[in-house]
């Protein structure tokens, strides 16, 4: 049983909580986060709260061999810009130390790393595909690209079976401040559902790559058991390419709200970073059976189900 | 005068000592290293010894604005494999913290980062040029590739004017244990000069990219004042492509030793990592005026002059 155990970091977050619940019952899960570990109803889940850069926590998390690690813990975009030293510690030093500790047993754990489309930076080229090079502009994106490089090296060395998955915008997150500059994408859902006005910092023609939590969790669960080509160390996840005006209209339709509650006041920096995402091709992920929400209507329905 | 000051880390090392002497007198130099700072004869050099991951040292090094930083400090190949935690701290966390501290003054310092051909890993493709992707196998090489990514990001952001220079084998280093798996390249010079036998862990047909300290320091001094295209964030340095048997013959000729003092006992791992380097093209560096030793005879003469 021990060799089946899966460690999930960032398990108290929006994605982590759903991922723990999706995997609990199928195998033993060790869940860690600085907060939010509410899994008392799940006997197969061991909750070990703490700071992921605390050596004592890392030692406890890796005391027994792990079959897999899904590393979600991170300091996201805006929060990383606000505290560069903390972000470097949590986003770069911590995963390096965690992986070294986890591989000290000599087995070769599966390692899924939640990277981000932030590795592409801005401006983006007219089309993004599996060969588009990383060119981050945010500290967060650079940290993700650095750990991708580290995991690719450890995979070549045979220490882990690593796969870095670049996450697009995940909707709809809770309304609480998340440190994410892309929070407006989720806040739209909360506003229209509550019949409240919202001013979006992008234009109606802004285009974004979006994925629901449900579809992301399904991709992570699938990726856990993939035996892809070891050279495939980095994957862009399938996501829908959505125009902001169409998203507003569909959220309004499904919530019964007036689409006019959403106003557009484009901030050039936000539009460039989060609202100018071109068509996306993900042939490598497609070939592995990873899939997005399918349709805008599904995406919005899945996102509203999380509110 | 303050805006002219140059910080050199790893200044007590084989390359650092020569670089400090090459720059001293032209502008104020702050030299730091954990040991080896013997610059009392140079009034323009301020020696600040310490561990580069010590926040108090970093604060002292960056208390005044810096015009440039040449970051040489590193835990090299073999030593990094022996102490992964130390290597991650010195090779990854320390330069990130140092650069953040140095850029807090709001100026845009020139930043030269001593990267390594270790970013290419092994086996190498049949030819290496400016477009060959990084694919490290050593921890050291991965650390270098990660900081290259970080410096490229900070350069895009306008925080530094960064340039990562990938160093080939630098000869001839002192005989002392250096933590470098490629030490045999330097040890050859010491052995033949002393008329002592040496067993090389590669074959006579092994091929290596080599550069003398003198030629490397000249490239670093030139690079300091380059105003290259900001997109040129990483450069392979020009180096001679030398066959081991030819190197042995030339060192024997110039030292008057018997070439038969050198025996070959190839270690497959060493041969793969350091003795299978294919032809190298460096058009980007060539266009910027960076040059290697020119001839094998020059390379060996320059190397012997350092012994």
């Amino acid at each position: 049983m021990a060799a089946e155990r899966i460690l999930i970091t960032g398990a108290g977050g929006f994605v982590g909580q759903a991922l723990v619940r999706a995997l609990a019952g199928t195998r033993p899960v060790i869940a860690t986060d600085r907060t939010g570990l509410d899994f008392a109803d799940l006997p197969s889940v061991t909750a070990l709260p703490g700071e992921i850069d605390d050596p004592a926590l890392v030692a406890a998390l890796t005391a027994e061999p792990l079959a897999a690690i899904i590393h979600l813990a991170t300091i996201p975009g805006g929060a990383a810009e606000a505290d560069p030293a903390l972000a470097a510690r949590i986003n770069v030093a911590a995963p390096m130390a965690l992986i070294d500790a986890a591989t000290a047993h000599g087995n070769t754990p599966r390692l899924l790393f939640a990277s981000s489309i932030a590795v592409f930076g801005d401006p983006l080229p007219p089309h993004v595909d599996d060969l588009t090079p990383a060119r981050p502009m945010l500290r967060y994106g650079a940290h993700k690209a650095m750990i991708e490089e580290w995991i690719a090296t450890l995979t070549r060395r045979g220490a882990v079976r690593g796969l870095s998955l670049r996450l697009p915008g995940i909707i709809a997150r809770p309304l609480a401040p998340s440190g994410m500059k892309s929070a407006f994408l989720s806040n739209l859902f909360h506003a229209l559902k509550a019949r409240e006005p919202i001013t979006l910092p992008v234009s109606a023609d802004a285009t974004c790559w979006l994925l629901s939590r449900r579809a992301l969790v399904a991709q992570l669960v699938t990726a856990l058991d993939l035996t892809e080509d070891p050279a495939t160390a980095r994957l862009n996840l399938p996501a829908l390419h959505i125009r902001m005006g169409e998203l507003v209209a569909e959220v309004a339709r499904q919530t019964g709200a007036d689409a006019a509650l959403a106003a557009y006041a484009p901030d050039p920096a936000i539009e460039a970073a989060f609202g100018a995402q071109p068509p996306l091709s993900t042939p490598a992920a497609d070939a592995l059976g990873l899939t997005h929400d399918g349709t805008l209507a599904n995406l919005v329905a899945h996102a509203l189900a999380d509110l």
Side-chain angles (χ1 to χ4, degrees), chain A:
Chain A
M1 197 66 172
E4 290 295 305
R5 71 177 71 206
I6 299 181
L7 170 63
I8 301 176
T9 72
F14 175 64
V15 173
Q17 292 189 17
L19 182 64
V20 169
R21 292 185 178 277
L23 289 171
T26 69
R27 19 200 161 176
V29 171
I30 302 176
T32 190
D33 206 324
R34 61 198 311 279
T35 181
L37 296 174
D38 302 319
F39 304 118
D41 57 317
L42 299 174
S44 63
V45 176
T46 305
L48 286 176
E51 303 289 341
I52 198 61
D53 66 335
D54 173 2
L57 176 67
V58 169
L61 296 173
T62 61
E64 302 287 330
L66 297 164
I69 303 165
I70 305 180
H71 183 60
L72 304 176
T74 199
I75 304 289
E81 299 295 335
D83 192 340
L86 173 71
R89 214 160 64 234
I90 300 296
N91 291 351
V92 181
M96 294 176 74
L98 174 67
I99 298 167
D100 270 347
T103 56
H105 295 285
N107 65 332
T108 304
R110 178 62 160 166
L111 171 63
L112 299 184
F113 172 56
S115 184
S116 167
I117 57 170
V119 299
F120 294 124
D122 60 90
L124 286 161
H127 189 101
V128 169
D129 62 26
D130 293 335
L131 299 177
T132 303
R135 196 181 168 281
M137 284 296 285
L138 293 175
R139 285 171 183 270
Y140 171 69
H143 294 164
K144 294 294 188 188
M146 293 164 75
I147 296 299
E148 285 188 2
E149 185 76 51
W150 183 242
I151 290 172
T153 302
L154 294 181
T155 299
R156 278 192 290 274
R157 291 164 66 101
V160 294
R161 291 178 295 120
L163 186 57
S164 294
L165 300 165
R166 291 161 172 174
L167 274 56
I170 308 300
I171 53 175
R173 296 178 181 275
L175 199 52
S178 69
M180 290 188 171
K181 287 172 182 269
S182 56
F184 68 91
L185 287 166
S186 292
N187 293 348
L188 167 69
F189 287 79
H190 294 278
L192 294 198
K193 189 180 180 200
R195 305 284 187 278
E196 288 170 0
I198 181 170
T199 299
L200 301 168
V202 294
S203 71
D205 285 328
T207 49
C208 306
W209 300 324
L210 295 176
L211 194 64
S212 72
R213 176 168 74 168
R214 181 189 299 190
L216 171 59
V217 166
Q219 294 200 44
L220 290 170
V221 171
T222 300
L224 198 54
D225 292 321
L226 287 176
T227 52
E228 78 284 352
D229 182 332
T232 310
R234 305 168 171 88
L235 276 185
N236 300 328
L237 283 186
L240 284 168
H241 185 238
I242 302 288
R243 207 178 65 84
M244 202 64 200
E246 291 166 350
L247 180 64
V248 169
E250 182 63 21
V251 178
R253 191 184 70 78
Q254 292 196 28
T255 58
D258 184 348
L261 286 169
Y264 301 93
D267 172 321
I270 302 281
E271 181 101 6
F274 302 105
Q277 294 172 351
L280 169 71
S281 303
T282 57
D286 298 345
L288 293 169
L290 302 176
T291 54
H292 55 52
D293 294 274
T295 65
L296 172 58
N298 283 351
L299 171 72
V300 170
H302 294 160
L304 287 172
D306 279 337
L307 256 54

